[in-house]
Amino acid sequence: MEKSSSKNIAIFISGRGSNFKSILDHINEINGEIKIVISNKNALGLNYAKEKNIQTLISNDFEKISSIMEELNIDLIVLAGYLKILPKNFVKKFFGKIINIHPSLIPSFCGKNFYGEKVHEAAINRGVRYSGCTTHFVSDVVDGGPIILQKTVEVSQNDTPKTLAEKILIEEHKIIVESVKLFCDDLLTIKGERVIIK
Amino acid sequence: MEKSSSKNIAIFISGRGSNFKSILDHINEINGEIKIVISNKNALGLNYAKEKNIQTLISNDFEKISSIMEELNIDLIVLAGYLKILPKNFVKKFFGKIINIHPSLIPSFCGKNFYGEKVHEAAINRGVRYSGCTTHFVSDVVDGGPIILQKTVEVSQNDTPKTLAEKILIEEHKIIVESVKLFCDDLLTIKGERVIIK
């Protein structure tokens, strides 16, 4: 099998960027390179990018962001704890090239009302015995795109939103890396609402 | 700890009753007795009840069913593949005493549009990597009551609704037995939307 060409990756973050760090920690196993880290605000994770001499940008101007994606020949955009909803035309333009990670077993506890700790609060209040995390391609339905990978996490009766978030984050770090790897090796195909892994 | 008194169980079925059989196969481990098997139609599973000399009834008259529940001092009603939606006043009267099993990870793929193979078809079409099954107390929201137990099942890319149903059914048999055991040992407490297992 022909080796796929190395991919140019952009990472979008809004917080401390732990999923971004996880990708960076495993970059040697990934057939790609992080070209830029973009945030909608002065996010803590940007510092880490700067330390690693990765270009950073704070912007909410999606025409500008779109131009930069093209200038840098970005193949893959990873939303790694990015809490802003992307404009529809941006999503349309880059469909199949944007991966998001969400801390629940989609289709449970997802959509625009479930962000940050609210997801875990909802899971605990509903009394589910399992939650987890999901990577998916971004479509114009919030958290509604084709699912790449999922991982389940047991919810214990003593869990708080905080402890559940911590347990799930450990699994997020694994599936985000694995999803980026699969993408960069050209092993993901979108078929309708499903993702087929070759 | 004082041993709880033996519970009188009614089972409601609509099909072959494999979850009913599973309970019966483990009845020696359960602090209870199956007093009657009720179906909304001439279900295959009724034959198995007759073989085991368990009283059976085919009825859709919930006033009659309600009277029988009282006459037999029923403590627990188990909906084991019962595909009819119970009348609201029946649910209200027996709230906390009716357990249902649903072949998905509630709140995913549940509600009145997801019954039989439709659940599994929806899961496969959505491309989820995990599905599973859930036991819960019945409330007036279809599949919306407090969750007792769940079990996850991996969905493979080659799964059909049929093969997925088969894999999940194996786990259903386990959690329905375990849930009935817990109930009959007085180990389940409903707190709001949650079930606490002592």
Side-chain angles (χ1 to χ4, degrees):
Chain A
M1 204 168 78
E2 207 182 332
K3 196 171 168 355
S4 55
S5 58
S6 174
K7 301 293 189 287
N8 296 325
I9 304 169
I11 313 242
F12 288 23
I13 64 171
S14 294
R16 61 196 156 132
S18 80
N19 276 312
F20 153 52
K21 283 184 200 171
S22 191
I23 295 167
L24 201 52
D25 289 347
H26 293 84
I27 198 71
N28 290 337
E29 307 156 33
I30 293 168
N31 186 24
E33 200 184 326
I34 300 173
K35 292 289 182 183
I36 189 166
V37 177
I38 296 178
S39 181
N40 56 321
K41 59 181 185 182
N42 191 6
L44 210 59
L46 293 174
N47 297 330
Y48 193 66
K50 285 172 194 158
E51 277 172 29
K52 300 285 176 178
N53 294 314
I54 296 169
Q55 188 182 340
T56 63
L57 174 73
I58 300 173
S59 175
N60 286 289
D61 176 350
F62 280 89
E63 275 191 42
K64 185 179 169 186
I65 293 172
S66 184
S67 299
I68 292 170
M69 296 299 98
E70 287 173 338
E71 276 164 33
L72 296 175
N73 285 312
I74 295 300
D75 300 296
L76 172 63
I77 296 167
V78 182
L79 310 184
Y82 186 67
L83 297 180
K84 195 181 166 78
I85 292 172
L86 298 171
K88 288 208 173 187
N89 56 354
F90 187 90
V91 169
K92 200 174 170 185
K93 187 169 178 182
F94 295 101
F95 181 76
K97 295 180 170 188
I98 314 175
I99 291 177
N100 183 40
I101 183 151
H102 182 78
S104 79
L105 292 175
I106 290 175
S108 288
F109 312 118
C110 65
K112 64 186 170 59
N113 294 321
F114 296 103
Y115 50 87
E117 281 209 349
K118 288 205 173 183
V119 185
H120 307 299
E121 207 181 300
I124 286 170
N125 289 344
R126 184 63 188 87
V128 294
R129 301 295 181 188
Y130 289 90
S131 188
C133 48
T134 304
T135 54
H136 64 93
F137 285 108
V138 172
S139 73
D140 55 3
V141 178
V142 179
D143 300 326
I147 292 167
I148 301 165
L149 295 176
Q150 295 188 301
K151 191 81 174 57
T152 63
V153 169
E154 214 168 325
V155 182
S156 90
Q157 288 186 171
N158 302 323
D159 268 321
T160 62
K162 194 171 179 301
T163 61
L164 183 56
E166 282 163 4
K167 288 197 291 187
I168 291 176
L169 192 59
I170 293 167
E171 302 305 324
E172 286 180 52
H173 293 162
K174 295 175 193 166
I175 66 167
I176 191 70
V177 169
E178 191 56 30
S179 300
V180 170
K181 261 192 217 176
L182 289 167
F183 183 95
C184 292
D185 287 337
D186 293 328
L187 294 177
L188 302 177
T189 312
I190 299 173
K191 282 199 178 170
E193 246 197 308
R194 301 176 67 187
V195 175
I196 307 299
I197 303 173
K198 272 171 216 139
Chain B
M1 203 169 79
E2 208 182 331
K3 196 171 169 353
S4 55
S5 59
S6 174
K7 302 293 188 288
N8 296 325
I9 304 169
I11 312 242
F12 288 23
I13 63 171
S14 294
R16 62 197 156 132
S18 79
N19 276 312
F20 152 53
K21 282 183 201 172
S22 191
I23 295 167
L24 201 53
D25 289 347
H26 294 84
I27 199 70
N28 290 337
E29 307 156 34
I30 293 168
N31 187 23
E33 198 183 329
I34 300 172
K35 292 289 183 183
I36 189 166
V37 178
I38 296 180
S39 182
N40 55 321
K41 59 182 185 181
N42 193 5
L44 210 58
L46 293 174
N47 296 330
Y48 193 68
K50 285 171 196 160
E51 278 171 29
K52 301 285 176 177
N53 294 315
I54 297 169
Q55 187 181 341
T56 62
L57 173 72
I58 299 173
S59 175
N60 287 288
D61 175 350
F62 281 89
E63 276 192 42
K64 184 178 170 187
I65 294 172
S66 183
S67 300
I68 292 171
M69 296 300 98
E70 288 174 336
E71 277 165 34
L72 296 175
N73 286 312
I74 295 300
D75 301 293
L76 172 63
I77 295 167
V78 181
L79 310 185
Y82 186 67
L83 297 180
K84 196 180 165 80
I85 292 171
L86 298 171
K88 289 207 171 185
N89 58 353
F90 187 90
V91 169
K92 197 173 172 188
K93 186 169 179 183
F94 295 102
F95 182 76
K97 295 181 170 187
I98 314 175
I99 292 177
N100 183 40
I101 184 152
H102 183 77
S104 79
L105 292 174
I106 288 176
S108 289
F109 312 118
C110 64
K112 63 186 171 59
N113 295 321
F114 295 102
Y115 51 87
E117 282 209 349
K118 288 207 175 184
V119 185
H120 307 299
E121 206 181 299
I124 286 170
N125 289 343
R126 184 63 187 87
V128 295
R129 301 295 181 187
Y130 290 90
S131 188
C133 48
T134 303
T135 54
H136 65 92
F137 285 107
V138 172
S139 73
D140 56 2
V141 178
V142 178
D143 299 327
I147 291 168
I148 302 165
L149 295 176
Q150 296 187 301
K151 191 79 175 56
T152 63
V153 169
E154 214 168 324
V155 182
S156 90
Q157 289 187 169
N158 302 322
D159 267 324
T160 62
K162 195 172 177 301
T163 61
L164 182 56
E166 283 164 5
K167 288 198 291 188
I168 291 176
L169 193 58
I170 294 168
E171 302 306 323
E172 286 180 54
H173 293 162
K174 295 175 192 164
I175 66 168
I176 191 70
V177 170
E178 191 55 31
S179 299
V180 170
K181 262 192 215 177
L182 288 167
F183 182 95
C184 292
D185 287 336
D186 292 329
L187 294 176
L188 302 178
T189 313
I190 297 174
K191 282 200 178 169
E193 245 196 310
R194 300 177 67 188
V195 175
I196 308 299
I197 303 172
K198 273 174 216 136

